Amino acid sequence: MTKQVANILGVSFSTRGFDETVADLVERIASGRKTHVVTANPEIVMLARENRSLRAILEQAYVVPDGIGIVYAARWTKQPISERVTGVDLLEALMAAADRHQWKVYLLGASPEVNRLAAEKLAGRYPGARIVGYRDGYFQQGEEPAIVREIAEKAPHLLFVAMGSPKQDEWIARYRDQLQASLMMGVGGSFDVIAGKVKRAPKLWQRLHLEWLYRLLAQPSRWKRQLAIPRFVWTVLKEKGENRSERYP
């Protein structure tokens, strides 16, 4: 039986492929199992090494490999992660399931315009899904209890939160027991892509695993965040070498 979890620098990732992940999450929603999905990349893994509270959140979450660096790290350490499970693709697949099952969906985060456009586009593409609420991410901390109450009253099957990482997952973890949502997932900039405000990398770039480079070229301001990638690679290879030395003194 294939191992269902791979450990990458202390973070436990699901080893399920994309289709298997979707099927597993759909089954969880249908059976009423509350699930917090985190789409983690090398940047999140490196941040978790320094941030104890984030590490604790990841330990309780369903973590999927959103980032080709995670797939390569699993390959280098001989662990069974075969493909990326990207946030925007997972969101679309879960919306397709919501369309089939007439599930309720709530969208939280991004700018007012992006949030509204994303809700409209998703409602148009998946008419069977019920968009029971949407709210932008421009709110003060004092407004959070009312927002949490509203989401809890709607009791959505799917709650997508677009606040950027790690803020979105910290927010979900803070309120998950009050939200009455079946599946909660931080989706980063996915609303911007769905709304048509940000263009995703062409399919060729995606197949070549260069989506990260496309985003960097499109948004040069991301360069500081991308520094996490070489640090991640170095740390994985360093720990791999140390583990090998321990086995063969």
Side-chain angles (χ1 to χ4, degrees):
M1 182 175 178
T2 304
K3 184 181 176 185
Q4 295 295 298
V5 175
N7 187 296
I8 307 296
L9 298 184
V11 176
S12 295
F13 282 84
S14 166
T15 60
R16 297 176 179 87
F18 185 85
D19 292 341
E20 191 182 359
T21 296
V22 173
D24 187 47
L25 293 178
V26 166
E27 190 278 329
R28 282 169 170 257
I29 296 166
S31 63
R33 293 174 65 188
K34 185 172 286 192
T35 306
H36 174 188
V37 177
V38 177
T39 59
N41 57 19
E43 183 184 353
I44 296 300
V45 172
M46 296 308 291
L47 187 58
R49 289 172 68 83
E50 304 163 1
N51 185 325
R52 185 176 297 176
S53 63
L54 176 59
R55 191 160 64 246
I57 290 170
L58 295 178
E59 287 171 358
Q60 300 298 317
Y62 187 114
V63 186
V64 299
D66 183 356
I68 191 60
I70 302 299
V71 178
Y72 284 145
R75 190 176 301 167
W76 296 331
T77 54
K78 294 181 168 50
Q79 298 188 80
I81 295 178
S82 60
E83 62 179 330
R84 296 172 63 198
V85 180
T86 64
V88 67
D89 290 329
L90 187 54
L91 185 158
E92 295 275 6
L94 291 172
M95 283 299 303
D99 186 42
R100 294 192 301 273
H101 298 284
Q102 297 186 321
W103 284 341
K104 295 182 289 183
V105 181
Y106 195 104
L107 310 181
L108 177 66
S111 71
E113 181 186 16
V114 165
N115 183 275
R116 176 182 58 80
L117 284 172
E120 290 175 358
K121 293 284 181 69
L122 290 173
R125 286 210 291 269
Y126 306 104
R130 293 176 285 160
I131 309 291
V132 294
Y134 56 94
R135 172 69 159 83
D136 65 79
Y138 289 69
F139 52 81
Q140 302 299 315
Q141 188 172 359
E143 299 176 82
E144 292 188 9
I147 293 170
V148 171
R149 281 197 300 273
E150 180 193 347
I151 296 171
E153 288 169 3
K154 305 287 188 181
H157 296 87
L158 299 173
L159 170 63
F160 297 120
V161 182
M163 295 179 180
S165 191
K167 182 180 178 181
Q168 58 197 15
D169 295 303
E170 291 170 344
W171 196 91
I172 291 170
R174 187 180 310 128
Y175 296 114
R176 63 171 289 166
D177 293 335
Q178 303 172 48
L179 287 168
Q180 302 303 316
S182 298
L183 184 142
M184 299 151 281
M185 184 170 100
V187 295
S190 296
F191 290 175
D192 295 89
V193 175
I194 292 164
K197 293 295 185 180
V198 172
K199 187 177 179 182
R200 195 175 178 191
K203 293 292 185 183
L204 177 61
W205 289 65
Q206 293 179 44
R207 286 198 297 272
L208 294 174
H209 306 308
L210 293 173
E211 200 165 359
W212 64 273
L213 179 58
Y214 181 88
R215 288 199 302 269
L216 180 59
L217 294 173
Q219 299 174 282
S221 60
R222 294 175 60 93
W223 71 269
K224 285 187 178 179
R225 294 174 56 185
Q226 297 295 341
L227 291 176
I229 296 176
R231 286 176 51 232
F232 171 80
V233 171
W234 166 251
T235 307
V236 170
L237 295 177
K238 180 171 175 286
E239 288 204 359
K240 178 185 176 184
E242 289 172 353
N243 291 337
R244 183 179 296 166
S245 297
E246 289 173 4
R247 288 198 303 270
Y248 305 109

